[in-house]
Amino acid sequence: MKRTVYLYVFDTMSDWEIGYLTAELNSGRYFRKGLASAQIVTVGIDKAPVTTMGGLKITPDIQVDECSITSADALILPGGNTWAEAVHKPILQIAEMCLQEGIVLGAICGASIGLAQAGLLDSRSHTSNDLTYLKMICPSYTGEEYYISESAVTDGKLITASGAAPLEFSVHIFRALDVFAPETLDAWYHLNKTNEPQYFYELMSSIQ
């Protein structure tokens, strides 16, 4: 079954934080045998082109009010410096619906600030870039007891990650979507983390 993944895109988004994720979802090159590559649908505040922090221009496929979470398997929220702004409220409402409906929600780096401001981290295990900073930026945040100082954290269908952990973020998303065999995912992660040749051969062997 083909997975459909919504990717939220906006001006100044941290494009490198979702690079591993989008490349593997779109290509499906290491997916379980017989599983089609995922369909990535870019979602914008509107349909106007956006420019990422890296200067890449992306024209959203749909705008937020066209989202149909019943047809999506995941919503991915990249980092960026504008998550404290009201402009992101509509996608945060969609994010809350995803959690209510059991749809994978991934938020990395600054996107965790948006979730915190929306109250979505107050009762779920999560991480971010730094707890002290999160509390300073989000005075209404009350989820300190659920904060875990790890690179990436999964709580049910919610996945959060530090901006320094795009690789770990991807692993958690792949696992939640169940698109990689466990041995493939392990080899893929260690190859990209260590650059040791042995993991390349393990990766190739796992998809034979």
Side-chain angles (χ1 to χ4, degrees):
M1 186 178 72
K2 195 178 186 74
R3 307 295 199 273
T4 298
V5 176
Y6 282 160
L7 173 66
Y8 184 54
V9 296
F10 54 95
D11 283 323
T12 75
M13 63 177 270
S14 302
D15 44 18
W16 69 94
E17 292 177 349
I18 44 86
Y20 288 112
L21 185 61
T22 54
E24 302 302 353
L25 288 176
N26 183 65
S27 69
R29 58 183 176 167
Y30 303 129
F31 278 16
R32 292 177 182 274
K33 192 171 184 178
L35 186 63
S37 61
Q39 178 184 18
I40 299 176
V41 179
T42 53
V43 181
I45 296 165
D46 51 36
K47 290 187 178 178
V50 302
T51 303
T52 71
M53 196 178 294
L56 302 178
K57 295 189 183 301
I58 300 173
T59 300
D61 296 313
I62 62 174
Q63 59 192 39
V64 174
D65 61 9
E66 294 178 292
C67 285
S68 173
I69 63 168
T70 57
S71 63
D73 296 283
L75 169 62
I76 306 300
L77 306 178
N81 298 325
T82 62
W83 274 104
E85 298 178 8
V87 70
H88 299 299
K89 278 189 175 181
I91 197 65
L92 290 171
Q93 292 173 345
I94 300 295
E96 183 172 13
M97 292 170 61
C98 286
L99 291 177
Q100 292 170 348
E101 298 298 323
I103 294 166
V104 174
L105 172 64
I108 185 169
C109 194
S112 62
I113 293 173
L115 296 185
Q117 286 194 324
L120 301 180
L121 303 183
D122 290 340
S123 60
R124 298 176 175 90
S125 297
H126 62 278
T127 193
S128 184
N129 292 332
D130 177 71
L131 177 58
T132 301
Y133 181 73
L134 187 61
K135 290 167 62 179
M136 179 180 69
I137 296 296
C138 307
S140 62
Y141 165 74
T142 61
E144 182 173 357
E145 66 178 296
Y146 295 96
Y147 188 92
I148 301 175
S149 295
E150 294 183 2
S151 56
V153 171
T154 294
D155 184 338
K157 297 296 184 178
L158 172 65
I159 297 165
T160 49
S162 158
L167 190 59
E168 289 75 12
F169 181 60
S170 301
V171 168
H172 281 243
I173 297 291
F174 295 147
R175 188 177 294 128
L177 291 174
D178 193 29
V179 290
F180 280 39
E183 60 274 18
T184 303
L185 185 56
D186 185 67
W188 179 88
Y189 171 72
H190 284 95
L191 174 62
N192 284 285
K193 190 71 172 180
T194 70
N195 200 32
E196 292 290 337
Q198 71 186 72
Y199 295 114
F200 170 78
Y201 296 110
E202 287 183 13
L203 179 59
M204 292 301 101
S205 177
S206 75
I207 60 173
Q208 296 303 314

